[in-house]
Amino acid sequence: MTAPRRLLLVNGPNLNLLGTREPDIYGSSTLADVEQLAGDAAAARGFDIRAVQSNHEGVLLDAIHEARADCAGIVINPGGLTHTSVVLRDALSGVALPVAEVHISDVRARESFRHHSYVADVAVVHVVGEGVAGYRTAVTRLIDVIVGAADG
Ligand code: CA2
């Protein structure tokens, strides 16, 4: 079977607030802008995206599990769950799809509790501190991995 040309884009808790508060940290783009930007980056490579954002961990887990049916990879900004969630990490590991982890801010330069990611070692692509443009980088680099694996 040929691999589906679709990515799941996951944004975790509080990222629905993008563009409404803390522009000094997260910029002024909205979640809708981010989803458009990621969709455009995917479309440039002949992929589409399905976007989900939730403030509820279980909704994110269900979306990740469902991606097995029709997605070739997952781009995720887990928000604060990055630093706390073993179950999110287990879901990503369990579906065995390639994962790109993206953070808008430079988590390495912020509070020490943001320095550890439970997701990092189940992701093949890591993008940190590029602002919302990092979603474009993450989509492009993840598609490179997917296409490279299909060719190889
Ligand atoms: O830099 C990132 O993308 C983060 O994943 C964002 C999370 C934070 O907990 C991570 O350490 C780094 C927070 C998302 C909250 O987003 C907001 C956006 C605008 C206003 C308030 C919150």
Side-chain angles (χ1 to χ4, degrees), residues 13-132:
N14 298 312
L15 285 157
N16 55 310
L17 297 177
L18 275 177
T20 67
R21 287 183 47 237
E22 304 191 51
D24 47 322
I25 302 174
Y26 299 116
S28 55
S29 298
T30 65
L31 178 64
D33 295 333
V34 164
E35 292 176 352
Q36 177 80 48
L37 177 156
D40 288 349
R45 301 290 298 275
F47 277 66
D48 63 22
I49 64 163
R50 179 164 65 243
V52 59
Q53 186 280 328
S54 182
N55 297 324
H56 305 278
E57 198 168 31
V59 172
L60 302 176
L61 301 190
D62 287 345
I64 289 165
H65 294 173
E66 286 161 14
R68 280 177 302 180
D70 63 354
C71 293
I74 299 173
V75 175
I76 184 165
N77 182 346
L81 294 175
T82 307
H83 319 297
T84 64
S85 183
V86 173
V87 295
L88 181 65
R89 173 216 173 83
D90 286 347
L92 292 167
S93 170
V95 297
L97 292 170
V99 173
E101 177 185 7
V102 55
H103 297 286
I104 297 166
S105 64
D106 185 355
V107 284
R108 299 161 303 192
R110 298 182 64 192
E111 304 95 322
S112 59
F113 65 82
R114 297 187 200 275
H115 296 180
H116 179 258
S117 166
Y118 280 99
V119 171
D121 67 0
V122 298
V124 291
V125 170
H126 306 90
V127 181
V128 167
E130 294 187 13
V132 298

